[in-house]
Amino acid sequence: MRSVEKNLAAFNEAGVRPVAISVDSPEENRWLVQQAGYSFPLLSDSSREAIRRFDIVHKGAGENGQDIARPAEFLIDSTGVVRWVNLTENYMVRVRVEEILAATRDLK
Amino acid sequence: MTLKRINWPLWSGLLLSLFAFLSYYLIFVWYPTTRNFPWANLLLFVGAVALLVAGFRRAFKTDRPLRSKIVASIVTSVGVLVCALFLFIFFVAAKWIPAAPGAPRVGQKAPDVTITDTNNKPISLAQLLSTPIEGKPPRGVVLIFYRGYW
């Protein structure tokens, strides 16, 4: 997420808005935004609706056995169609921001 | 115990193995090159195991008392276990994640989900896709789902 912050200018130039989503509450996200100084949106899916509908629920993997997201990145174009997906098979291995930016170049 | 009697390779091997473990989370996780594959930590572990083995062999020379042989066995085991734990966390446990067969694929329409911003206001994917960026309509949105801060 730090690398997303560092590359915000490139995202703006590509006309693509990065948003980070977790099951953390809006309050926790507000705290994290202040701590880390993120200027892109951190959004809360505390109801788990989004991770359920994207089928990326990692059951019981969170604190106190709560359901959390398995790491996943989706590039969605202005018509709402998925243009690029990354589903890591090892949660220690994260997507590089360069890969996301490369995918944005293929958008119409 | 005089300084000469201390089994330096053994103890520095233990310290190095602890450093090799912790440095991933404290240092190397912040850089994509050392985070996505922990080669820096693996190199440190190789050094740590080499030191531990040297210390272990030193303790088992005949002039050493039984006590240092016991200590060396314990310290070497702990150091090797730390190494094994790291390998397990990174290369085994981190792969225990669901495959997400029902996740939207390239070319499919993404579900229009509604999530909540830091001001407790609901915001839908459609809204994210229509709110201008620097005065221009956005060409897209990247949804980055992560496990959470904790």
Side-chain angles (χ1 to χ4, degrees), chain A residues 3-18 75 84 95-107, chain B residues 139 142:
Chain A
S3 52
V4 172
E5 181 67 32
K6 278 192 216 144
N7 287 276
L8 271 187
F11 279 105
N12 282 341
E13 207 175 303
V16 171
R17 166 176 290 122
L75 172 64
W84 172 88
V95 67
R96 284 165 185 261
V97 74
E98 293 80 15
E99 290 173 58
I100 307 179
L101 286 169
T104 67
R105 273 171 223 128
D106 299 332
L107 285 181
Chain B
R139 292 165 67 231
V142 184

Side-chain angles (χ1 to χ4, degrees), chain A residues 61-95:
Chain A
E63 233 177 357
N64 305 321
Q66 295 195 41
D67 294 350
I68 58 171
R70 56 103 78 222
E73 296 83 24
F74 298 87
L75 172 64
I76 295 161
D77 73 13
S78 53
T79 66
V81 171
V82 176
R83 288 296 168 204
W84 172 88
V85 184
N86 180 62
L87 293 163
T88 183
E89 285 173 4
N90 178 328
Y91 65 69
M92 304 291 252
V93 179
R94 321 270 183 85
V95 67

Side-chain angles (χ1 to χ4, degrees), chain B residues 90-106:
Chain B
F90 204 100
F91 294 104
V92 181
K95 289 184 178 170
W96 292 341
I97 49 177
R105 289 153 202 254
V106 171

Side-chain angles (χ1 to χ4, degrees), chain B residues 122-139:
Chain B
I123 184 158
S124 67
L125 177 58
Q127 277 172 287
L128 289 169
L129 285 168
S130 57
T131 312
I133 300 173
E134 294 180 338
K136 283 178 279 184
R139 292 165 67 231

Side-chain angles (χ1 to χ4, degrees), chain A residues 14-15 17 21 44 55 72 79, chain B residues 102 109 116 128 139 143-145:
Chain A
R17 166 176 290 122
I21 305 169
S44 166
D55 192 31
T79 66
Chain B
K109 193 103 175 161
T116 313
L128 289 169
R139 292 165 67 231
L143 305 179
I144 302 165
F145 288 95

